[in-house]
Amino acid sequence: MPPDHVTPEIWFPNLGFYFERVPQHALNVGGFAIYWYAVIIVFGIAMAALLAFWWAGKTGQNVDHYYELLLVGLVFAFIGLRTYFVVFNWDAFRGRPWFEIAFDIRGGGLAIYGGIIGAALAAMFISWRRRVPFFLLADTGAPSMLLGQIIGRFGNFFNAEAFGSYTDNLFAMRIRVDRAAYTTPDLLERAVHANGATYIQVHPTFFYEAAFNLVWMLILLFYRPHKRFDGEILWLYFLGYGVARFFIEGLRTDQLKFFGTGLAASQVVSVAFVAVSLTALILGYLQARKPAPTKKRRRR
């Protein structure tokens, strides 16, 4: 518990620790603030790339293809990240200048599913351009995507965002109301007054997702040398992440809605990811069980 004279910005009361200050800005360059969120995202991309480069080198692949995939993937992923957010949040962007719609991300506005789709399209492009099997690229990159997501999610912590509804479970997180990226009427109704401040108490859904991704990444890394067919790691990545994101998204209070239906867009996309990956895995396992064709001897 913090002393009475301390007013933490973020506090985990049931775990017994707190952060008196959680700065959003990492540094200021000529009056331009660089956010911790951006620093963490860049670090996540760098670590993800290094993991992919390492595996490519270890398995005798041409690492240059992955350098190229990194550069192309950054462009495709950014387009996907932003497009997904704008499409499913169009009412907030209607009538704004196109340049602002495309690039004004300092106030938020990136969605991870769009980045995953963008990265997959980038891998398809490199596969076509360099005549490299797509599923070889994808199986190499899938655990790296998870690593980037694990690290990147902690940017949400510094922004005090991407949290869920009220909870008093072990991992309950209190965020000072004046520090939270947003609040909801339900959360304010159950606000906690402590240490001279008002807090919303929420599910740290960014942490739930990061923790699941860490476990799933380790499983895929250990299993990858034993995969039964090319593409298996990619489909397992989509399957595991889709299932986890479906349930975690249900807790979140900042859901993007699926074209006015009231359904959470990321839950709809999660169902699609799970359905496609399950189908692909079943077909892949059935194909892998078939005995290799034997050549018939020619009669003389």
Side-chain angles (χ1 to χ4, degrees):
M1 293 286 291
D4 290 341
H5 66 278
V6 174
T7 307
E9 290 189 349
I10 296 180
W11 179 4
F12 293 84
N14 298 333
L15 291 174
F17 65 91
Y18 63 91
F19 299 88
E20 188 170 353
R21 185 169 177 269
V22 182
Q24 279 188 290
H25 301 153
L27 65 157
N28 196 297
V29 180
F32 183 81
I34 297 176
Y35 286 74
W36 273 112
Y37 184 89
V39 173
I40 290 168
I41 291 293
V42 170
F43 179 67
I45 291 169
M47 293 299 100
L50 289 175
L51 178 60
F53 297 160
W54 167 75
W55 183 252
K58 182 176 180 180
T59 53
Q61 300 179 60
N62 187 338
V63 180
D64 288 346
H65 293 155
Y66 291 90
Y67 290 132
E68 189 173 0
L69 178 57
L70 172 62
L71 297 176
V72 174
L74 287 173
V75 176
F76 277 64
F78 176 81
I79 293 171
L81 287 161
R82 186 61 172 174
T83 300
Y84 186 102
F85 184 84
V86 169
V87 166
F88 292 116
N89 197 31
W90 180 243
D91 287 343
F93 291 94
R94 194 188 308 274
R96 291 168 64 178
W98 72 267
F99 188 85
E100 189 176 305
I101 292 173
F103 297 106
D104 184 18
I105 61 171
R106 287 177 63 77
L110 302 175
I112 186 61
Y113 261 135
I116 293 171
I117 295 167
L121 292 174
M124 291 179 187
F125 175 77
I126 296 300
S127 172
W128 167 79
R129 177 177 168 81
R130 296 301 181 190
R131 302 294 186 266
V132 181
F134 166 75
F135 286 119
L136 176 63
L137 295 173
D139 283 354
T140 299
S144 296
M145 287 290 293
L146 281 171
L147 179 58
Q149 290 171 244
I150 293 163
I151 297 170
R153 274 299 174 201
F154 285 92
N156 298 135
F157 171 76
F158 283 90
N159 277 359
E161 62 185 5
F163 47 77
S165 55
Y166 174 85
T167 186
D168 194 30
N169 72 10
L170 178 63
F171 301 103
M173 177 175 69
R174 290 180 181 175
I175 307 174
R176 213 170 62 200
V177 168
D178 64 320
R179 181 63 176 80
Y182 57 89
T183 58
T184 67
D186 289 343
L187 288 174
L188 292 175
E189 283 181 10
R190 306 189 72 168
V192 177
H193 304 280
N195 287 54
T198 302
Y199 295 87
I200 55 173
Q201 185 165 307
V202 298
H203 285 281
T205 50
F206 69 88
F207 172 74
Y208 298 165
E209 187 172 320
F212 172 82
N213 285 346
L214 175 61
V215 173
W216 198 235
M217 181 192 71
L218 293 174
I219 290 172
L220 293 185
L221 286 175
F222 281 111
Y223 178 68
R224 184 164 55 180
H226 313 289
K227 68 178 185 178
R228 299 175 62 183
F229 61 92
D230 284 341
E232 184 182 6
I233 303 303
L234 173 69
W235 299 125
L236 286 172
Y237 161 48
F238 283 169
L239 176 64
Y241 183 69
V243 170
R245 183 61 186 269
F246 179 88
F247 290 104
I248 293 170
E249 188 70 18
L251 298 173
R252 286 180 59 164
T253 52
D254 60 341
Q255 297 171 345
L256 298 175
K257 298 302 181 181
F258 191 76
F259 299 121
T261 62
L263 300 173
S266 289
Q267 287 187 308
V268 174
V269 175
S270 292
V271 170
F273 268 49
V274 169
V276 171
S277 57
L278 268 178
T279 302
L281 285 166
I282 292 169
L283 293 175
Y285 291 138
L286 290 174
Q287 186 65 31
R289 288 180 61 184
K290 291 182 179 179
T294 56
K295 292 182 180 181
K296 293 183 178 179
R297 286 188 175 182
R298 293 167 58 185
R299 294 183 180 179
R300 297 186 180 182

